Amino acid sequence: MKTITRFLKFTCMMCFLLTTILFVSCSDDSDEDDNSSDNSKIVGVWQKTKEETRQGSEAWEDVTEDCDLDDTEEYVSDGDWALYPGTVTCGSANVINGSWELRANGTKVVYTYDGFQDEFESNIEELTAAKMVLTHSAGDIDDTQYRDTYVKQ
């Protein structure tokens, strides 16, 4: 009888231990670098509404020009990206094509531009179904940073 009781206790303890290990070791799918919900938010056509700049930790300064306000960027679900300058251009009137990808758990968007080998990244400060705010660094010694605000078309 003692042997059977010990065996049952041992079996129950082993089942409890195995169940606990299984629950603890299973990872949640949301922990992975799955950006599908952010991908659906970013896909579409975005129009710039504001452009700001700063150096280091200074306050942001609005440097938006009229020629910036009719530019649109298109993010396609297959990873294609395009910048369409509006009719009033600040510089080149050429469409810029490339690709985009969300990384770092949806906190960064990384671009590659057709004809260039390097990647360029922007930090996502805000991304909703209607608004997107991106920041990026110019990479100069003055630590110049840019922040662009967009609304979805």
Side-chain angles (χ1 to χ4, degrees):
M1 181 79 170
K2 281 185 171 182
T3 310
I4 294 174
T5 304
R6 276 193 221 164
F7 176 73
L8 287 173
K9 284 182 180 180
F10 176 75
T11 304
C12 287
M13 287 298 290
M14 290 305 294
C15 286
F16 175 76
L17 182 64
L18 287 173
T19 303
T20 304
I21 290 171
L22 286 174
F23 278 115
V24 172
S25 66
C26 289
S27 68
D28 186 356
D29 288 342
S30 65
D31 291 342
E32 296 176 14
D33 193 14
D34 179 14
N35 301 308
S36 59
S37 63
D38 290 328
N39 278 349
S40 65
K41 288 181 191 173
I42 200 171
V43 169
V45 177
W46 295 86
Q47 184 167 2
K48 189 182 292 185
T49 60
K50 186 187 241 183
E51 186 171 325
E52 300 168 282
T53 187
R54 74 175 180 186
Q55 291 183 333
S57 59
E58 294 177 2
W60 289 103
E61 177 186 347
D62 188 341
V63 293
T64 309
E65 296 182 40
D66 289 341
C67 58
D68 293 320
L69 297 177
D70 62 351
D71 293 350
T72 58
E73 295 185 28
E74 182 177 18
Y75 295 79
V76 183
S77 61
D78 67 0
D80 286 342
W81 172 86
L83 167 65
Y84 300 100
T87 55
V88 181
T89 61
C90 297
S92 173
N94 297 329
V95 174
I96 300 172
N97 292 298
S99 63
W100 69 275
E101 178 184 359
L102 289 181
R103 293 191 189 160
N105 291 319
T107 62
K108 296 183 184 299
V109 59
V110 178
Y111 303 92
T112 54
Y113 302 123
D114 292 353
F116 294 91
Q117 294 179 352
D118 294 331
E119 293 182 335
F120 304 89
E121 80 176 27
S122 292
N123 295 312
I124 300 173
E125 278 192 13
E126 182 179 348
L127 179 59
T128 66
K131 182 180 179 183
M132 177 169 64
V133 180
L134 303 176
T135 60
H136 65 275
S137 176
D140 59 13
I141 59 172
D142 295 326
D143 190 25
T144 304
Q145 301 165 44
Y146 296 94
R147 179 166 64 185
D148 298 317
T149 302
Y150 302 86
V151 293
K152 199 168 207 176
Q153 298 292 294

